[in-house]
Amino acid sequence: MGHTLVIVESPTKARTIRGFLPKDFKVEASMGHVRDLPNNASEIPAAHKGEKWANLGVNTAANFEPLYVVPKDKKKVVKELKDALKGADQLLLATDEDREGESISWHLLQLLSPKVPVKRMVFHEITKEAISRALEDTRDLDMELVHAQETRRILDRLVGYTLSPLLWKKVAWGLSAGRVQSVAVRLLVQRERARRAFRSGSYWDLKARLEQGEAGFEAKLSHLKGERIAGGSDFDESTGALKAGSKVRLLSEAEARQLQVEVQANPWQVASVEEKPTVRKPVPPFTTSTLQQESNRKLRLSARETMRTAQGLYERGFITYMRTDSVHLSDQAINAARSCVSEKYGKDYLSPSPRQFSTKARNAQEAHEAIRPAGEAFRTPNATGLDGKDLALYELIWKRTVASQMSDARLTMLAVELQADGGSLGPAQFRASGKRIDFAGFFRAYVEGSDDPDAALEGQELLLPALKVGDRPACKAVEALGHQTQPPARYSEAALVKMLEKEGIGRPSTYASIIGTIVDRGYATLANNSLTPSFTAFAVTALLEEHFPDLVDTSFTARMENTLDEISHGQVKWLPYLESFFKGEKGLETQVQQREGDIDPGVSRTVELEGLPCVVRIGRFGAYLETKRVAEDGTEELLKATLPQEITPADLDAEKAELILRQKADGPEPLGDDPESGEQVYMLFGQYGPYVQRGQVSDENPKPKRASLPKGAKPEELTLEDAIALLRLPRQLGDHPEGGRVEAGLGRFGPYVVHHKGKGEKDYRSLKAEDDVLVVGLDRALELFAMPKKGRGGRTALKDIGVPEGDEEAIQLFDGPYGLYVKQGKVNASLPEGTTADTITLEQAVELLAAKAATGKAAARKPGAKKPAAKKPAAKAPAAKKAPSTTKTGRLRASAVRVIRAADS
């Protein structure tokens, strides 16, 4: 008797599902996709090497026939799956229940060509009951879903691989464009443009501290002589002045201070008291998008971290499938949630009847239930055995699901109007606001944006003393406050995800990879949970806006998303749609060919920002400033200066630009002399930020001593003594008890201490934020050496994978913000989808690191080319790279995929 072969995506999912299947079932993992469009020229089969369309991976002349290949790292997996199929009397394809999962199943079917019956098995949670139901309710492959996913993949490839080579020639090598990625980048750029255009406005108001009986409360000035006092929302962001037609009173500083004296000296009286009961209903359970948003806000997890953590929870049977747009809960889930409410909070906190929610999101995905704890009874967070990010995310999902079945929260909003005599300025009106929670309801379990419901309830409740009309509270203090309006905030990951979903752009399940790609490609940096677009993002967005406006238009992209969904429901034919999008006079292919000759690379690499005495250009080594100036001999010459990386487009103003250009033209002003060498010490600005230098570059001294400023140090506050101390690093701290000397220094990744063990062996530790590299002592250094060694970003290695034969350094496994990665020395490489900490082998790690090293900077240079010379402060910024000629397009495309995977964005 044969066995039944079940194929899932990952080893973790395989292990979990194995426990719920009969003994004659064999479960194997495909490790994600087993087949895809070629990612590089080496993957193209010999039979298609000469074809013009082969690098694109789609034969646009033959009904957009995709060229599917098995990547090198999947050949072993495919062979193992074929071997497992031998002797099987049935094949069950149990990949995830969405389009992607349907597509993987179809590719498996095509590759394995089984001679036995094949069925599709779907479930949205991995529990015994769900697997039993799925076994009884198998179906055939849904080819409409497959076509929808295939069309999406082909469309992304057509956009990415057609536009990206254009960007390499017109802006900078290695850039990528993408159907959704480019729209997301434009959103970031538009917000940064708004920040640049923003003009701050100033206004004043008053805050009073009052007392009724022994209870204190605060009130803010709202009206003067019956006129409303201006607030931040009354200002025009483009002028910094009040909006046209605003009927408000703008208080000057002098008036505010005069009023402060008057109202403090005169009696106060309560003019009105208003109590307004209000009800808050619980929010729906999580979808992919809302989980990413709330996880980013509450747990500070990136979209990638959230999805990777949720994937692990789903595959281990803790939660339902994490890629869904539905807020619907099954009857089983509602009963489980209501049981949790009764047991943990009591029947008073249970909603009178079961709550059901309906999906309002555009393009709702196929998965038919919200993200919730798995099973017929929800495990409480402390009963799961989870820890770290897994526990935090499970707890978030548990709380939100349980809260959805709890009673409404009942609150009373309190508003008190108070009158005070403002003397010659007239009567002043103040307002005190409060909030009383009469019944916490679902707040007991879940408060949006807060990690601790109990603390949030305390923070939300703002009680006022019992006040009635005619009361005369005592004025204890009045403060005059000056305010500045603030520019629009940059997008956080949560805010960008919310905007993409609101506009109907892309799929929520792809947002994590889109944001990751934007950061990886250098279009944005992510710091303090804010996405800041780069100057390159400005250049690329401007090019696409001018020449391909539809591709970065939110409504056009949303309509395209709708069409793709209509294809998945069989309402639109996929082939005519691709024909109309890519071919014909208005098709993308023709548009790119027509526009290519019109686009001037010099213009495309130029970012013109209002108010600057120069332009910003994109060069081979980053952004630089360029302006014309008259030389000493009267001729006009170009002056170029590298832009420090920490300067953002919104922060670059005329003053900063002039300082950088002046320093480049005239040379830096010395801070003073080094008493030891007699040489002058300079403060300079380079691509990687400010640094100090002893002496000038000359033929006799081509590489003067330099030192970067520690992170957070302000150039304008640096003294000559500090500069000299930095230039004398590393400092000797003393001898290590185990032998060898200990030093403190400042390197590429910040300040550090190092133990020289002998025979070239060194042990490094990064200094903490509170440590000063110029004063840290031996005792503190020994404390740091006693701590476990951490990787970059302060991460502790999960484990040592091993030392490859012939090497001295071990390969370590780390968990970073974008998932698991392996690291050896300065090279690190992400683990492919489906590979886990348990399954990664030394051989796989060596292969991944070798592949990453091959696509690094060294590989980007031509064989035999010299390493670029070290940056010199006196040298001019590099000129913009010459665009490759159009005759090289074929070769350019052939090597394209070695640099980027444009279609995956």
Side-chain angles (χ1 to χ4, degrees), residues 92 402 538 747-748:
L92 290 180
V402 168
F538 268 65
R748 184 181 166 196

Side-chain angles (χ1 to χ4, degrees), residues 565-741:
D565 283 322
E566 287 169 346
I567 290 168
S568 73
H569 300 131
Q571 296 164 335
V572 172
K573 299 293 182 188
W574 66 280
L575 187 56
Y577 177 69
L578 285 180
E579 290 274 359
S580 65
F581 175 79
F582 194 70
K583 291 184 167 292
E585 192 179 328
K586 293 186 178 179
L588 180 63
E589 184 179 43
T590 308
Q591 289 296 311
V592 170
Q593 288 169 356
Q594 288 176 350
R595 294 281 182 175
E596 189 167 334
D598 300 337
I599 300 171
D600 180 354
V603 173
S604 298
R605 294 187 180 115
T606 303
V607 181
E608 293 198 25
L609 299 173
E610 194 180 337
L612 292 189
C614 56
V615 296
V616 177
R617 289 197 189 276
I618 309 300
R620 287 175 64 197
F621 305 109
Y624 61 94
L625 300 176
E626 181 180 286
T627 190
K628 290 179 180 176
R629 69 162 192 163
V630 178
E632 290 180 5
D633 60 2
T635 60
E636 197 173 58
E637 66 174 10
L638 280 179
L639 178 64
K640 301 175 183 178
T642 300
L643 261 175
Q645 283 184 339
E646 76 268 14
I647 292 186
T648 66
D651 297 335
L652 181 61
D653 55 20
E655 188 181 351
K656 285 191 180 78
E658 282 168 355
L659 176 67
I660 294 166
L661 288 166
R662 188 168 61 248
Q663 190 185 84
K664 187 63 184 288
D666 306 334
E669 286 286 326
L671 293 172
D673 294 341
D674 179 357
E676 278 189 16
S677 66
E679 292 179 292
Q680 289 185 317
V681 176
Y682 300 93
M683 164 71 71
L684 298 161
F685 293 90
Q687 182 184 2
Y688 301 106
Y691 62 98
V692 289
Q693 177 176 294
R694 188 169 57 218
Q696 284 276 34
V697 176
S698 64
D699 292 340
E700 297 78 29
N701 187 19
K703 290 185 179 179
K705 175 72 175 174
R706 293 172 183 158
S708 297
L709 265 62
K711 190 176 181 181
K714 295 181 179 177
E716 62 272 18
E717 295 176 2
L718 191 82
T719 65
L720 174 64
E721 291 72 26
D722 289 337
I724 292 169
L726 287 169
L727 289 163
R728 288 181 183 157
L729 291 174
R731 292 170 50 232
Q732 301 286 332
L733 302 186
D735 294 328
H736 197 284
E738 295 173 9
R741 71 184 189 280

